[in-house]
Amino acid sequence: TAKWIFLESGFERTSMDAVAARAQTSKRSLYAHFPTKDALFLAVIDRVHDLFRGRMRTPDHYADDPAEATALFCGRFLQMLGWAPVLLTCRMGISEAERLPEAAAQLHEVFFGTTTDRLAAYLSGQYGLDTAEGATLAARLLGMTVYPTLPRALFGLGELRDDLPDEASIETDVDMTAIRRAAESALSGRVAASGGKASL
């Protein structure tokens, strides 16, 4: 309940009274679980983390072929960043970064840190890269396929979708041709240089 009120009203305008009323509980009960609005916000971030991880899954979920799995994972990430609740949560984290740096850092980890780590671990395992190489390649891939569109979305220069994106519609929701091309370019050069084991 708090998550949706934070998204609708922003952190500053959200009151514990409003959360208690919408959740159909007493203010006293709410404060027994969350002594401050900051504590409630951090709990919301924990919940968002669990939900987002479940919706992103890991690259091996998307395809058996490593290059295709990597491209589709990047496509899913871009698709999810176009979903209104995710992008609005990112904006809220940015707006509260000065006052609540811990919360902002946790939100960054929720959406970007965890996704990068999952991709890095997959690349390391599939292509025989060490941890540092996998992390570098994951950051490069996301930088080529996902992050160029993010600033426009953060500044409202794009259409957000209100419904949860279905992973079955990745192909139609994002430009997978461009993502596959960028992924192939990044993977072929990096993996060849490191003598990786998986074929492209």
Side-chain angles (χ1 to χ4, degrees):
T1 299
K3 178 185 76 170
W4 290 110
I5 296 177
F6 280 130
L7 289 177
E8 291 165 9
S9 304
F11 180 86
E12 195 62 38
R13 291 189 303 275
T14 295
S15 70
M16 296 292 270
D17 286 327
V19 173
R22 178 98 57 101
Q24 298 181 339
T25 190
S26 69
K27 191 173 171 182
R28 180 176 181 168
S29 177
L30 180 63
Y31 274 112
H33 292 285
F34 309 103
T36 65
K37 187 166 72 168
D38 290 4
L40 179 60
F41 189 54
L42 290 172
V44 165
I45 292 171
D46 286 341
R47 176 69 178 143
V48 168
H49 191 201
D50 291 341
L51 291 171
F52 191 76
R53 284 168 58 95
R55 288 170 179 146
M56 274 301 301
R57 303 180 184 265
T58 53
D60 60 340
H61 165 77
Y62 294 95
D64 292 330
D65 176 71
E68 180 66 1
T70 297
L72 286 170
F73 183 76
C74 292
R76 177 62 170 167
F77 189 29
L78 185 57
Q79 184 190 42
M80 288 297 293
L81 289 174
W83 185 34
V86 169
L87 197 74
L88 294 174
T89 303
C90 288
R91 288 178 184 161
M92 188 165 39
I94 292 168
S95 69
E96 296 302 321
E98 187 172 343
R99 203 181 67 75
L100 294 171
E102 177 189 351
Q106 286 184 9
L107 275 174
H108 182 273
E109 180 62 23
V110 165
F111 298 124
F112 305 102
T114 298
T115 303
T116 304
D117 290 347
R118 284 184 169 187
L119 182 56
Y122 178 77
L123 294 170
S124 293
Q126 291 296 318
Y127 295 105
L129 307 174
D130 65 31
T131 302
E133 289 172 329
T136 298
L137 183 54
R140 181 168 179 233
L141 273 163
L142 293 173
M144 294 171 68
T145 60
V146 176
Y147 297 150
T149 65
L150 185 58
R152 289 182 56 81
L154 286 172
F155 283 93
L157 302 174
E159 189 174 330
L160 293 180
R161 57 185 304 158
D162 293 324
D163 54 320
L164 174 64
D166 184 347
E167 68 180 59
S169 65
I170 295 173
E171 295 278 356
T172 55
D173 289 347
V174 301
D175 184 356
M176 282 305 302
T177 300
I179 290 175
R180 286 188 178 101
R181 191 180 307 120
E184 183 180 354
S185 171
L187 289 171
S188 60
R190 193 69 182 96
V191 172
S194 65
K197 62 184 180 183
S199 61
L200 295 176

